[in-house]
Amino acid sequence: MLKVEDLSAFYGEAQALRNVSLDVAAGEVVTLVGRNGAGKTTLLRSIMGLHKGTRGSVTLDGVSLDGKSADKRARLGLGWVPDDRGIYATLSVAENLSLPPVVDKAAAWSLDKIYEQFPVLHERRDFPGTKLSGGEQQMLAMARPLRAGSRLLLLDEPSEGLAPVIVNQIGQIIRDIKAQGVAVLLVEQNVKFASTVADRHNLLAQGEVVESLDNAEFQSRTAELLEHLGM
Ligand code: ATP
């Protein structure tokens, strides 16, 4: 569904990504794993069309995204879930959920379906964003693009700063949304968590994909791979 080919990204003269190629199939969960500064967030932002200095190509279901705005990419099915979660703090949960325009009527989750998947958002539906815990904010950030009808979520470190019990809940949500046919490209530093949700992994170091492997191989070689990445 998503195909990234020879993607390079720059901050001025500095190159943050070097000829990255990867793909994500419909309903697949694929990770980007790497230490701080490896280029994971830059890669997600480049796919979403939020980073300007890029070279290479990104296609979604065979449609080229090159040169298209983030807004256009969202309308084609990409859902952006940033690491700061991007919740509108003064708006309620329900208002946050109603804001993003529906981009794909057939794929959009109804509010009932959202609240069934995220019961805590139903309980908190009248609470402002400021009153939500980190885990609740993360759930809201993931629920919004589903409500809009995104078919591929770009998730930037959803486990960051959350207690282990909440991380487990986020993991279950990712498995559930995958079961609904939604694909996920997941940035993670928590490799234990990554291995509980993902089908495949791309290991990133200094802006390059240095290994691409399935979850079984990732699990059997985790210690060696992390040492290789300096994590
Ligand atoms: P982290 O987990 O710390 O966010 P990351 O793997 O997501 O790390 P990026 O944030 O994508 O890495 O950064 C990749 C490289 O680009 C790093 O060398 C970083 O210093 C550089 N970089 C990131 N943002 C900028 C910026 N706004 N200006 C200049 N260089 C940047």
Side-chain angles (χ1 to χ4, degrees), residues 130-147:
T130 44
K131 288 278 188 329
L132 302 180
S133 68
E136 290 161 358
Q137 286 188 19
Q138 183 60 45
M139 289 178 203
L140 180 54
M142 291 167 70
R144 272 194 315 201
L146 296 172
R147 176 81 191 98

PDB file of all heavy atoms in Angstrom, residues 130-147:
ATOM      1  N   THR A 130      -6.804  19.115  28.158  1.00  0.00           N
ATOM      2  CA  THR A 130      -5.874  19.357  29.273  1.00  0.00           C
ATOM      3  C   THR A 130      -6.104  18.403  30.443  1.00  0.00           C
ATOM      4  O   THR A 130      -5.218  18.185  31.253  1.00  0.00           O
ATOM      5  CB  THR A 130      -6.056  20.784  29.831  1.00  0.00           C
ATOM      6  OG1 THR A 130      -7.455  21.035  29.948  1.00  0.00           O
ATOM      7  CG2 THR A 130      -5.402  21.818  28.968  1.00  0.00           C
ATOM      8  N   LYS A 131      -7.307  17.855  30.551  1.00  0.00           N
ATOM      9  CA  LYS A 131      -7.632  17.008  31.704  1.00  0.00           C
ATOM     10  C   LYS A 131      -7.364  15.519  31.434  1.00  0.00           C
ATOM     11  O   LYS A 131      -7.667  14.674  32.277  1.00  0.00           O
ATOM     12  CB  LYS A 131      -9.120  17.186  32.075  1.00  0.00           C
ATOM     13  CG  LYS A 131      -9.435  18.517  32.719  1.00  0.00           C
ATOM     14  CD  LYS A 131      -9.109  18.454  34.196  1.00  0.00           C
ATOM     15  CE  LYS A 131      -9.506  19.600  35.073  1.00  0.00           C
ATOM     16  NZ  LYS A 131      -9.562  20.933  34.583  1.00  0.00           N
ATOM     17  N   LEU A 132      -6.820  15.216  30.258  1.00  0.00           N
ATOM     18  CA  LEU A 132      -6.585  13.816  29.927  1.00  0.00           C
ATOM     19  C   LEU A 132      -5.201  13.379  30.393  1.00  0.00           C
ATOM     20  O   LEU A 132      -4.249  14.162  30.369  1.00  0.00           O
ATOM     21  CB  LEU A 132      -6.678  13.598  28.413  1.00  0.00           C
ATOM     22  CG  LEU A 132      -7.995  13.982  27.733  1.00  0.00           C
ATOM     23  CD1 LEU A 132      -7.900  13.699  26.230  1.00  0.00           C
ATOM     24  CD2 LEU A 132      -9.166  13.214  28.336  1.00  0.00           C
ATOM     25  N   SER A 133      -5.091  12.109  30.763  1.00  0.00           N
ATOM     26  CA  SER A 133      -3.769  11.548  31.084  1.00  0.00           C
ATOM     27  C   SER A 133      -3.004  11.365  29.767  1.00  0.00           C
ATOM     28  O   SER A 133      -3.581  11.453  28.669  1.00  0.00           O
ATOM     29  CB  SER A 133      -3.941  10.188  31.760  1.00  0.00           C
ATOM     30  OG  SER A 133      -4.464   9.262  30.818  1.00  0.00           O
ATOM     31  N   GLY A 134      -1.706  11.071  29.885  1.00  0.00           N
ATOM     32  CA  GLY A 134      -0.889  10.848  28.685  1.00  0.00           C
ATOM     33  C   GLY A 134      -1.446   9.711  27.831  1.00  0.00           C
ATOM     34  O   GLY A 134      -1.496   9.803  26.600  1.00  0.00           O
ATOM     35  N   GLY A 135      -1.878   8.640  28.492  1.00  0.00           N
ATOM     36  CA  GLY A 135      -2.417   7.486  27.760  1.00  0.00           C
ATOM     37  C   GLY A 135      -3.712   7.840  27.041  1.00  0.00           C
ATOM     38  O   GLY A 135      -3.933   7.427  25.898  1.00  0.00           O
ATOM     39  N   GLU A 136      -4.556   8.627  27.728  1.00  0.00           N
ATOM     40  CA  GLU A 136      -5.825   9.037  27.106  1.00  0.00           C
ATOM     41  C   GLU A 136      -5.568   9.951  25.911  1.00  0.00           C
ATOM     42  O   GLU A 136      -6.235   9.841  24.869  1.00  0.00           O
ATOM     43  CB  GLU A 136      -6.710   9.727  28.145  1.00  0.00           C
ATOM     44  CG  GLU A 136      -7.245   8.754  29.187  1.00  0.00           C
ATOM     45  CD  GLU A 136      -7.741   9.422  30.470  1.00  0.00           C
ATOM     46  OE1 GLU A 136      -7.644  10.668  30.594  1.00  0.00           O
ATOM     47  OE2 GLU A 136      -8.208   8.692  31.357  1.00  0.00           O
ATOM     48  N   GLN A 137      -4.588  10.837  26.049  1.00  0.00           N
ATOM     49  CA  GLN A 137      -4.228  11.714  24.918  1.00  0.00           C
ATOM     50  C   GLN A 137      -3.739  10.894  23.737  1.00  0.00           C
ATOM     51  O   GLN A 137      -4.076  11.162  22.585  1.00  0.00           O
ATOM     52  CB  GLN A 137      -3.131  12.691  25.341  1.00  0.00           C
ATOM     53  CG  GLN A 137      -3.623  13.785  26.244  1.00  0.00           C
ATOM     54  CD  GLN A 137      -2.554  14.847  26.484  1.00  0.00           C
ATOM     55  OE1 GLN A 137      -1.591  14.959  25.740  1.00  0.00           O
ATOM     56  NE2 GLN A 137      -2.731  15.613  27.540  1.00  0.00           N
ATOM     57  N   GLN A 138      -2.924   9.872  24.048  1.00  0.00           N
ATOM     58  CA  GLN A 138      -2.419   9.022  22.971  1.00  0.00           C
ATOM     59  C   GLN A 138      -3.567   8.304  22.266  1.00  0.00           C
ATOM     60  O   GLN A 138      -3.604   8.204  21.039  1.00  0.00           O
ATOM     61  CB  GLN A 138      -1.406   7.999  23.530  1.00  0.00           C
ATOM     62  CG  GLN A 138      -0.767   7.112  22.479  1.00  0.00           C
ATOM     63  CD  GLN A 138       0.002   7.894  21.431  1.00  0.00           C
ATOM     64  OE1 GLN A 138       0.753   8.812  21.747  1.00  0.00           O
ATOM     65  NE2 GLN A 138      -0.206   7.567  20.163  1.00  0.00           N
ATOM     66  N   MET A 139      -4.516   7.831  23.047  1.00  0.00           N
ATOM     67  CA  MET A 139      -5.669   7.142  22.443  1.00  0.00           C
ATOM     68  C   MET A 139      -6.474   8.095  21.573  1.00  0.00           C
ATOM     69  O   MET A 139      -6.893   7.746  20.473  1.00  0.00           O
ATOM     70  CB  MET A 139      -6.540   6.519  23.534  1.00  0.00           C
ATOM     71  CG  MET A 139      -5.850   5.321  24.187  1.00  0.00           C
ATOM     72  SD  MET A 139      -6.841   4.629  25.506  1.00  0.00           S
ATOM     73  CE  MET A 139      -5.547   3.805  26.461  1.00  0.00           C
ATOM     74  N   LEU A 140      -6.663   9.323  22.065  1.00  0.00           N
ATOM     75  CA  LEU A 140      -7.401  10.315  21.284  1.00  0.00           C
ATOM     76  C   LEU A 140      -6.654  10.636  19.982  1.00  0.00           C
ATOM     77  O   LEU A 140      -7.260  10.742  18.913  1.00  0.00           O
ATOM     78  CB  LEU A 140      -7.618  11.579  22.120  1.00  0.00           C
ATOM     79  CG  LEU A 140      -8.369  12.740  21.478  1.00  0.00           C
ATOM     80  CD1 LEU A 140      -9.724  12.316  20.934  1.00  0.00           C
ATOM     81  CD2 LEU A 140      -8.549  13.882  22.491  1.00  0.00           C
ATOM     82  N   ALA A 141      -5.328  10.745  20.098  1.00  0.00           N
ATOM     83  CA  ALA A 141      -4.521  11.059  18.908  1.00  0.00           C
ATOM     84  C   ALA A 141      -4.630   9.946  17.869  1.00  0.00           C
ATOM     85  O   ALA A 141      -4.588  10.198  16.661  1.00  0.00           O
ATOM     86  CB  ALA A 141      -3.063  11.276  19.312  1.00  0.00           C
ATOM     87  N   MET A 142      -4.774   8.705  18.334  1.00  0.00           N
ATOM     88  CA  MET A 142      -4.918   7.581  17.399  1.00  0.00           C
ATOM     89  C   MET A 142      -6.345   7.484  16.866  1.00  0.00           C
ATOM     90  O   MET A 142      -6.574   7.074  15.726  1.00  0.00           O
ATOM     91  CB  MET A 142      -4.532   6.270  18.101  1.00  0.00           C
ATOM     92  CG  MET A 142      -3.046   6.179  18.399  1.00  0.00           C
ATOM     93  SD  MET A 142      -2.638   4.846  19.535  1.00  0.00           S
ATOM     94  CE  MET A 142      -2.940   3.416  18.531  1.00  0.00           C
ATOM     95  N   ALA A 143      -7.303   7.850  17.717  1.00  0.00           N
ATOM     96  CA  ALA A 143      -8.714   7.729  17.313  1.00  0.00           C
ATOM     97  C   ALA A 143      -9.078   8.731  16.219  1.00  0.00           C
ATOM     98  O   ALA A 143      -9.879   8.429  15.336  1.00  0.00           O
ATOM     99  CB  ALA A 143      -9.611   7.943  18.533  1.00  0.00           C
ATOM    100  N   ARG A 144      -8.480   9.920  16.285  1.00  0.00           N
ATOM    101  CA  ARG A 144      -8.870  10.990  15.333  1.00  0.00           C
ATOM    102  C   ARG A 144      -8.722  10.597  13.867  1.00  0.00           C
ATOM    103  O   ARG A 144      -9.676  10.749  13.095  1.00  0.00           O
ATOM    104  CB  ARG A 144      -8.081  12.268  15.628  1.00  0.00           C
ATOM    105  CG  ARG A 144      -8.770  13.133  16.660  1.00  0.00           C
ATOM    106  CD  ARG A 144      -8.209  14.524  16.718  1.00  0.00           C
ATOM    107  NE  ARG A 144      -6.753  14.513  16.698  1.00  0.00           N
ATOM    108  CZ  ARG A 144      -6.011  15.511  17.135  1.00  0.00           C
ATOM    109  NH1 ARG A 144      -6.569  16.604  17.620  1.00  0.00           N
ATOM    110  NH2 ARG A 144      -4.708  15.452  17.086  1.00  0.00           N
ATOM    111  N   PRO A 145      -7.545  10.091  13.448  1.00  0.00           N
ATOM    112  CA  PRO A 145      -7.451   9.714  12.027  1.00  0.00           C
ATOM    113  C   PRO A 145      -8.344   8.525  11.662  1.00  0.00           C
ATOM    114  O   PRO A 145      -8.773   8.428  10.508  1.00  0.00           O
ATOM    115  CB  PRO A 145      -5.963   9.385  11.842  1.00  0.00           C
ATOM    116  CG  PRO A 145      -5.399   9.235  13.202  1.00  0.00           C
ATOM    117  CD  PRO A 145      -6.261  10.020  14.132  1.00  0.00           C
ATOM    118  N   LEU A 146      -8.629   7.661  12.627  1.00  0.00           N
ATOM    119  CA  LEU A 146      -9.549   6.544  12.323  1.00  0.00           C
ATOM    120  C   LEU A 146     -10.945   7.087  12.049  1.00  0.00           C
ATOM    121  O   LEU A 146     -11.642   6.638  11.141  1.00  0.00           O
ATOM    122  CB  LEU A 146      -9.585   5.547  13.490  1.00  0.00           C
ATOM    123  CG  LEU A 146      -8.264   4.831  13.780  1.00  0.00           C
ATOM    124  CD1 LEU A 146      -8.380   4.019  15.065  1.00  0.00           C
ATOM    125  CD2 LEU A 146      -7.860   3.936  12.610  1.00  0.00           C
ATOM    126  N   ARG A 147     -11.329   8.065  12.850  1.00  0.00           N
ATOM    127  CA  ARG A 147     -12.630   8.730  12.663  1.00  0.00           C
ATOM    128  C   ARG A 147     -12.700   9.366  11.264  1.00  0.00           C
ATOM    129  O   ARG A 147     -13.741   9.366  10.617  1.00  0.00           O
ATOM    130  CB  ARG A 147     -12.796   9.788  13.759  1.00  0.00           C
ATOM    131  CG  ARG A 147     -14.026  10.641  13.662  1.00  0.00           C
ATOM    132  CD  ARG A 147     -15.254   9.956  14.213  1.00  0.00           C
ATOM    133  NE  ARG A 147     -16.465  10.692  13.878  1.00  0.00           N
ATOM    134  CZ  ARG A 147     -17.272  10.397  12.852  1.00  0.00           C
ATOM    135  NH1 ARG A 147     -17.010   9.376  12.064  1.00  0.00           N
ATOM    136  NH2 ARG A 147     -18.350  11.110  12.635  1.00  0.00           N
TER     137      ARG A 147
END
